[in-house]
Amino acid sequence: MWGGVKVPIISVICYLCTLMFYTMGYLKVLELNAGHVSTRVSTTYVSQATSYFVLTIFFALYGSLLFYVKTIKDKEIKIMTPNLDLKHPKKTDIRRRAS
C-alpha cells in the first residue's frame, strides 16, 4: 500500500529500472570526467550515457503512467440510477407518514 493505493508490480519494476539506468548513465559520465579516455572511446561513452538517460526517462514515464491508470481505475465513480420501477419499489423508496 502506498498512499492508500496498491502499487502495481510493473510500476515498481519500472521505477527500479529507472534507478538502474540512471546509475549506469551517471557512471559513464564519471568515466568521461576522469579524462583518461581517448576521443573514440569518449564518443562511445557519450552515446551510451545518452541512451541510458533516455531509457531512464522512458521507464519513469511508463511506470508513472501505469500507476496513474491503476489509481484512476480504483477510484472509478459509479453513477447511481434511481429506482423507476413503480410496481415493485425497493423498501428504501417506500415513504412513511410522520406520526
Side-chain angles (χ1 to χ4, degrees), residues 10-11 17 21 26-27 42 54 73 76 85 89-90 93 98:
I10 193 76
S11 292
C17 287
F21 283 122
Y26 185 70
L27 289 175
S42 68
V54 168
K73 185 178 176 184
E76 188 176 55
D85 189 13
K90 291 182 181 179
D93 290 338

Side-chain angles (χ1 to χ4, degrees), residues 7-94:
V7 179
I9 299 296
I10 193 76
S11 292
V12 173
I13 292 170
C14 286
Y15 293 146
L16 291 175
C17 287
T18 297
L19 289 173
M20 180 185 69
F21 283 122
Y22 180 77
T23 303
M24 291 169 69
Y26 185 70
L27 289 175
K28 291 295 178 184
V29 170
L30 286 179
E31 289 179 22
L32 280 170
N33 287 338
H36 301 291
V37 293
S38 66
T39 306
R40 186 182 317 154
V41 175
S42 68
T43 304
T44 306
Y45 283 175
V46 168
S47 299
Q48 287 176 347
T50 303
S51 64
Y52 289 144
F53 290 135
V54 168
L55 285 171
T56 298
I57 293 169
F58 171 75
F59 279 110
L61 289 176
Y62 189 64
S64 298
L65 176 71
L66 290 175
F67 179 70
Y68 177 73
V69 168
K70 174 72 175 165
T71 303
I72 293 299
K73 185 178 176 184
D74 287 345
K75 292 184 178 180
E76 188 176 55
I77 299 172
K78 296 180 181 178
I79 300 173
M80 296 179 63
T81 58
N83 184 13
L84 299 177
D85 189 13
L86 298 176
K87 293 181 182 177
H88 305 288
K90 291 182 181 179
K91 291 183 179 180
T92 57
D93 290 338
I94 297 173

